[in-house]
Amino acid sequence: MIRSIFIFVLVALIAFGAVWLSDYPGDVRLTWGGIEVETSIVVIAALTLIFAVVVALFYRFWLWLKRGPGRIGAVFSNRRRERGLEALSSGMVAIAAGDAAEARRQAIEAEKTLGGEPMTLLLAAQAAELNEDDRAARIYYDRMMERKDTEFLGLRGLINRARGEGNIAEARRLAERAEELRPGTLWVQKELYELAVKARDWEAADQALSRMARGKAAKGDAVRRARAVITYERADVARAQGKTEAALTLALQAHDLDPGFVPAAVLAVTLTAKEGASRKLNKLIADCWKKAPHRDLADAIRKVVSGEQPSDWFRRARETVAPHNPDHPETHLMLARAAMASNDWGPAREHLMKAGGDAPTTGILRRLAELEEKANADAIAAREWILKSVDAPQDPLWICRACGRQEDHWQAHCPACDSFDTLSWRQPDRGPAAGAALEAEIVPEIAATEL
Ligand SMILES: [Zn+2]
């Protein structure tokens, strides 16, 4: 607006000057050497104006050149940068698509054009990972570690590498450094927790889990369960070190955290029995059998009284344990085993039938066969139970959810795949091979009974 007013005033002034000059025309005479020029004052004024404009234009052009010495270079470097960014984005796309060769090509291009920028280093490291070039990946991560703005990112890569190589101690050291750099970052918390669990450093695992739960990284039943398992392991360590009192406190905590967690119930009962407080023990046994009835718990409860006769155990199981969960198949199984051990065949048969229900397992059918032989010397009835057991469902075991490994005793880590807390008590799937193996095992047995 101001500019257009200015131009308008300027044009008006020039017009006014021109009119004024034409009203008062004058002559100008120039004499230089042998040349003589005679003209009007209007022409001289116009020439002066044109000269001023030309000088002003030259002056501006000179300023433009002076202010931008790298002006021409800048045009090139901008194009270079653009090419680098393009290579970066294509490289990231190639990594997401798993195209190792393309990722490597774009990483080289990006590094050539952009140099050691954070994103370039990251792309190069990831491309190296994708190409399974361990040495190159390590070099790029190390370079990232040297810069303040990429150290955290580099740590993540190196932690993954260390884990992949099974170097848990190194991975933990790096994760602790990451925690120092950016305290409370979610993935660092998770890493610290998982690494502590892998290292069987239960105290550290407990602390990491607490921090995670505070930071809302993990909540609810999963955290309670993990805490129960970790607390159980801490109890077990204390027990092994002879710190019975601390072990009992922890075992009871673990049982409270997850009342259905059998190993914690077993340890709590075993350690309370050592303490010798019978009222407390009876209360605990009642509570545990209600919430975690299980073969292992039944064994632990039996061992509470040392040197007990089978018939005494059968009576104690029937009178003090079974009433707390009378209809559970595990209760019937416990009573059946106790009755058989004390040669009490009638109740043994009754509880075996109840424990088996509609789908008795191989183990139950074999016990029935044993019972027929021992109680009635009835080989034919025994043989029938054995034959039935061929197609029966298998007895439950501790089976790894991750790899299917079967174990007789619970452990926090699967002995085959080292997964944490994956062993659960369930029936194995009966494969075709299992039936055949059982049949092969039974044939001599049947042949023997027929003779
Ligand atoms: Zn496993």
Side-chain angles (χ1 to χ4, degrees), residues 400-405 414-419 422-423:
C400 175
R401 279 193 298 276
C403 71
R405 164 89 171 212
C414 169
C417 68
D418 205 44
S419 302
T422 48
L423 293 183

Side-chain angles (χ1 to χ4, degrees), residues 4 50 93 100 115 121 123 128 199 202 207 210 233 262 273 293 349 355 382 392 410:
S4 53
I50 288 165
V93 168
L121 287 173
L123 174 63
W202 303 113
Q207 284 163 19
S210 300
E233 288 296 334
V262 174
R349 180 195 298 274
W410 182 88

